[in-house]
Amino acid sequence: MFKIVALQATGVRTLEVQPASLPISVGRSRNQTLVVDRRHDGVSGHHLDIVGLDADGADLVVHGDNGISIEGTLHPAGARCR
């Protein structure tokens, strides 16, 4: 349904995102579903979780200290966003 394309120091990594694979965790820690390399120093060990998915998009829970920005809107740690 969706995919994440991450540009890593070792190349491009693509992760298919489907309802059956939820939750998907993203961060620099090795135990995340999508491990982001050290090149991205603003990403926390456990940065966010994708917890819901439908035809219109994804539901996220932000865990990273730096929050996330989606289309110019900042979502701080603890936020739930779409």
Side-chain angles (χ1 to χ4, degrees), residues 5-40:
V5 179
L7 178 58
Q8 305 277 20
T10 57
V12 175
R13 168 129 190 253
T14 302
L15 177 68
E16 297 291 326
V17 179
Q18 300 177 19
S21 60
L22 299 180
I24 293 174
S25 57
V26 178
R28 294 193 322 177
S29 173
R30 290 185 193 147
N31 60 346
Q32 306 308 315
T33 310
L34 176 62
V35 177
V36 177
D37 64 24
R38 298 283 176 204
R39 163 185 189 177
H40 304 285

Side-chain angles (χ1 to χ4, degrees), residues 33-56:
T33 310
L34 176 62
V35 177
V36 177
D37 64 24
R38 298 283 176 204
R39 163 185 189 177
H40 304 285
D41 60 358
V43 175
S44 297
H46 183 190
H47 202 69
L48 65 88
D49 288 326
I50 302 171
V51 296
L53 193 63
D54 62 29
D56 295 323

